[in-house]
Amino acid sequence: MQKHTVKQLKQALLTTGNTFDYATKTATLAVSISDHRHRAQVTFIREVTFNQAWTRVEQLLAQTPQTDWVRIESVQSSQRLSRANFEERLSQTFRMNYWRYGVSFDAGFETALLEMEINGQAMFRPGKDHRIGKNRSHMWVDYERLTPYLKQRQTSLSIDPSQTEYVWVFTTAGIFTDGSQIWQLSAKEDCSKGIRILTNPQAEIKNAIDTGENFLINQIKADGKFIYGYYPARQRVLANYNVVRHFSSLYALLEAIPFTGRTADLAKVKLAIQWGLDHATVTIGDAMFINDNGELKLGGQALLMLTLSKYQTLTGDTTFAPVLQKVFKGVPAFQEASGKLNHVLNPDLSLKAAYRIIYYEGEIAFGLSRMYELTKDPAVMALVKRILDYMVAHDYGKYHDHWISYAINEALQVFPDNRDYMALGLKNVFIHLRFIEERDTTYPTLLELVDAAVKMTDLVKASGNEDLLAPYDLIRLRQVLQQRAEYEVTSGLFLPELAMYFYHPQKFIGGFYARHDNFRTRIDDCEHFLSGLVNYYNYTYHKE
């Protein structure tokens, strides 16, 4: 690494402060280095002065290529806990991977592990009764994974980490460089901890969309089927497949490709559409349905219509126009005489489940609205209106669903003066605003919800119905929009400073993850993040 870069790194680390522990009269630094292809090699350095510790850092960096990813942290605070206290605190952590401290099994930090090392190899495991988002994690240390890792990293161990009387927990502050830029890492006690502080949110969000589209398009295999997802900490590829999310992920790509300008990727999207039609649909009479493992889902009908409409609108290619009409003809099979929509049918069109998930009604209204804008078919408009009127009559605004916001936004393009639809859409977001502000997980559909809500408030203003906005705090809504967008980038995106601790780090750059589910990344995670960020960027920065 170039000497001037090393000098800049030193100055950047010193600005974080607290680089010396007055209690132990030591400075403790942790250096993580990855060549993009392999997990980061982590070295803990402990000396009696910061400068002595930095001299050893310089020796490491002198042998490091300029383009490697380098993360340098100083231990800021530490506390000795009894083993019983440590294990109890670990067990009581509510969400998996929300234990945010480094851990050492000795006072001299020879057996220290960064939080990111722990997460990157799933060294903490959930209790058998843990249910994601429902109860305490009951986390425990998997010493069968941890101890061999330490032995490999340290060459040899003088203690058994599973048998020590005490455990030291610690926090760090640090910096990261990719060789061309240096970022300070956040020390906030939230999901952005240990991730770069955004100094240019517009550029960082643009980069997130660019790398996100690239990651998702690369999950489409040669036959048109996606690699559904990964558990990168455990080097597992997900074996299950949801064909509804196959199509919704393609829709997200169709939103992102015009942004990135990589129009060559449209060929892969078309291939993937055809794979879905060939492998996951069934034709009954003159109607077509998505068949997801023996279930015909209303949401599948919606996402197929939405994707086909978006593809034709974007490309002008009418290849799938006849298919779109067949899919539309299948929608009435889900609807009762009252207007109520059933969610899941059997392949013989008998009812399987009247309700499955609240997303489906909003999805179908959104899909139909987009189809109407493409085809101008009055039968499509009539069906959209019937569904939306049912949603108004049954107070669907109480469900605070992002698809309902999308649907209302689109419906106001078709019915620009309908105050009932406006009132429904406003309630859908504002009763949920505090939850959105305070949510600790990235929860990408919340950004989608607020995206659509902000656009809708502008439509309401422009239509002369501003009196409907009087009960609501529009300024707060805009503030929440920015907060959620930036939080998603720093808390849900595989940036290099996080990816470097997982296997084959470069593979996951641009992927979006669910921290509380072992950093799972699936195509549907990526679709929601991408759609939310694309819509945020385009509206906020007025990208035509």
Side-chain angles (χ1 to χ4, degrees):
M1 184 164 281
Q2 298 168 359
K3 288 183 178 180
H4 78 273
T5 302
V6 176
K7 185 177 180 179
Q8 289 174 332
L9 289 171
K10 180 180 181 180
Q11 293 305 312
L13 185 61
L14 285 170
T15 64
T16 66
N18 295 317
T19 55
F20 184 77
D21 183 349
Y22 289 96
T24 62
K25 303 294 190 294
T26 57
T28 305
L29 306 182
V31 183
S32 304
I33 301 172
S34 170
D35 64 359
H36 306 190
R37 302 187 308 278
H38 302 94
R39 293 182 194 268
Q41 294 292 313
V42 181
T43 304
F44 275 83
I45 297 170
R46 192 172 175 90
E47 295 289 352
V48 295
T49 69
F50 174 82
N51 282 335
Q52 285 179 309
W54 188 259
T55 297
R56 291 178 57 189
V57 173
E58 288 177 331
Q59 292 168 355
L60 278 176
L61 297 184
Q63 305 168 42
T64 300
Q66 182 72 18
T67 55
D68 277 10
W69 294 331
V70 175
R71 178 174 168 139
I72 307 172
E73 298 165 80
S74 66
V75 173
Q76 298 274 293
S77 59
S78 64
Q79 183 172 5
R80 189 184 75 176
L81 303 176
S82 70
R83 176 167 289 275
N85 188 355
F86 164 67
E87 291 176 350
E88 176 64 16
R89 288 176 61 174
L90 190 61
S91 176
Q92 290 302 310
T93 303
F94 186 74
R95 302 185 197 280
M96 275 303 300
N97 303 302
Y98 275 57
W99 172 268
R100 304 310 309 272
Y101 303 106
V103 172
S104 179
F105 299 94
D106 70 285
F109 279 64
E110 292 182 8
T111 56
L113 291 162
L114 296 168
E115 176 221 342
M116 296 296 190
E117 284 183 280
I118 294 166
N119 290 332
Q121 300 200 49
M123 293 177 184
F124 292 172
R125 303 290 303 282
K128 60 182 176 61
D129 296 324
H130 174 57
R131 297 294 178 268
I132 295 171
K134 301 293 185 183
N135 57 7
R136 298 291 175 188
S137 66
H138 302 293
M139 264 189 285
W140 49 278
V141 180
D142 185 351
Y143 289 103
E144 291 185 2
R145 291 180 70 83
L146 183 151
T147 303
Y149 172 80
L150 276 175
K151 284 181 178 178
Q152 181 183 39
R153 196 189 74 181
Q154 303 297 110
T155 306
S156 64
L157 289 180
S158 59
I159 61 171
D160 180 350
S162 67
Q163 299 300 316
T164 58
E165 183 179 0
Y166 298 106
V167 176
W168 285 257
V169 298
F170 62 91
T171 63
T172 66
I175 55 175
F176 170 80
T177 184
D178 59 3
S180 60
Q181 185 174 347
I182 297 171
W183 288 270
Q184 186 170 332
L185 303 177
S186 174
K188 285 183 180 179
E189 292 298 329
D190 60 21
C191 285
S192 67
K193 183 177 178 179
I195 304 299
R196 66 188 62 181
I197 296 171
L198 301 186
T199 56
N200 185 344
Q202 180 180 4
E204 297 283 6
I205 292 169
K206 183 177 185 297
N207 178 68
I209 297 168
D210 187 71
T211 59
E213 189 265 323
N214 186 60
F215 175 85
L216 189 53
I217 199 74
N218 284 334
Q219 304 315 302
I220 299 176
K221 298 184 290 186
D223 63 354
K225 185 179 182 181
F226 281 100
I227 301 169
Y228 192 61
Y230 308 85
Y231 280 114
R234 300 190 68 82
Q235 301 189 38
R236 280 181 51 200
V237 178
L238 300 180
N240 58 321
Y241 206 83
N242 183 320
V243 293
V244 176
R245 299 310 162 205
H246 172 94
F247 285 106
S248 60
S249 298
L250 294 177
Y251 174 74
L253 280 170
L254 290 168
E255 287 196 306
I257 288 170
F259 185 98
T260 65
R262 288 193 286 265
T263 53
D265 289 346
L266 290 169
K268 289 188 78 171
V269 172
K270 184 175 184 179
L271 175 71
I273 290 173
Q274 193 61 57
W275 181 91
L277 296 176
D278 291 343
H279 293 86
T281 61
V282 59
T283 300
I284 302 173
D286 60 354
M288 179 181 285
F289 303 84
I290 284 184
N291 185 350
D292 189 8
N293 296 312
E295 293 186 333
L296 313 185
K297 298 175 179 175
L298 179 65
Q301 215 70 8
L303 269 303
L304 183 49
M305 291 171 54
L306 191 60
T307 301
L308 296 179
S309 298
K310 182 71 172 179
Y311 176 80
Q312 186 172 333
T313 300
L314 185 60
T315 65
D317 181 355
T318 58
T319 299
F320 302 116
V323 177
L324 180 59
Q325 289 297 326
K326 289 183 178 181
V327 179
F328 167 67
K329 289 177 181 177
V331 177
F334 293 90
Q335 195 166 40
E336 297 181 359
S338 66
K340 177 181 180 295
L341 288 162
N342 290 315
H343 283 192
V344 186
L345 305 178
N346 291 306
D348 63 359
L349 300 186
S350 62
L351 179 64
K352 180 169 184 178
Y355 177 84
R356 177 66 60 81
I357 190 168
I358 192 56
Y359 290 172
Y360 285 174
E361 280 93 338
E363 286 174 336
I364 198 68
F366 185 32
L368 286 165
S369 295
R370 279 288 174 86
M371 181 177 175
Y372 174 74
E373 289 181 51
L374 175 67
T375 65
K376 305 303 182 186
D377 184 340
V380 178
M381 176 192 273
L383 187 52
V384 173
K385 189 174 189 309
R386 189 178 183 204
I387 291 170
L388 290 171
D389 288 346
Y390 183 89
M391 291 167 70
V392 168
H394 292 83
D395 190 23
Y396 270 60
K398 65 188 175 185
Y399 293 122
H400 46 77
D401 169 41
H402 66 289
W403 286 108
I404 291 175
S405 277
Y406 277 155
I408 297 298
N409 249 9
E410 213 61 37
L412 291 178
Q413 308 296 325
V414 183
F415 310 103
D417 299 315
N418 193 304
R419 287 171 59 89
D420 288 339
Y421 299 165
M422 294 176 189
L424 168 65
L426 292 170
K427 180 178 181 180
N428 185 58
V429 66
F430 278 102
I431 65 169
H432 203 47
L433 202 55
R434 175 173 289 182
F435 175 89
I436 298 170
E437 279 182 304
E438 297 175 354
R439 185 67 181 184
D440 58 344
T441 64
T442 44
Y443 211 146
T445 57
L446 296 181
L447 177 60
E448 293 183 277
L449 173 57
V450 184
D451 274 335
V454 167
K455 292 180 185 179
M456 181 174 51
T457 59
D458 287 342
L459 287 173
V460 172
K461 285 181 186 179
S463 70
N465 292 285
E466 198 161 353
D467 59 295
L468 292 173
L469 301 171
Y472 304 117
D473 189 341
L474 303 189
I475 294 173
R476 181 178 166 212
L477 180 68
R478 293 271 182 168
Q479 292 169 339
V480 172
L481 176 66
Q482 180 181 356
Q483 170 205 337
R484 291 308 306 182
E486 294 180 9
Y487 193 61
E488 286 198 3
V489 172
T490 58
S491 306
L493 173 66
F494 271 117
L495 292 163
E497 60 266 33
L498 174 66
M500 64 192 297
Y501 296 95
F502 295 82
Y503 87 95
H504 204 321
Q506 184 65 51
K507 178 178 182 176
F508 297 103
I509 296 298
F512 295 92
Y513 61 83
R515 172 183 282 271
H516 58 286
D517 191 10
N518 220 4
F519 290 86
R520 175 204 77 214
T521 180
R522 284 193 321 228
I523 59 172
D524 56 318
D525 296 318
C526 296
E527 63 155 285
H528 289 301
F529 279 100
L530 263 184
S531 287
L533 291 172
V534 167
N535 282 284
Y536 171 80
Y537 189 100
N538 287 345
Y539 209 66
T540 301
Y541 299 108
H542 198 59
K543 186 175 187 295
E544 299 295 342

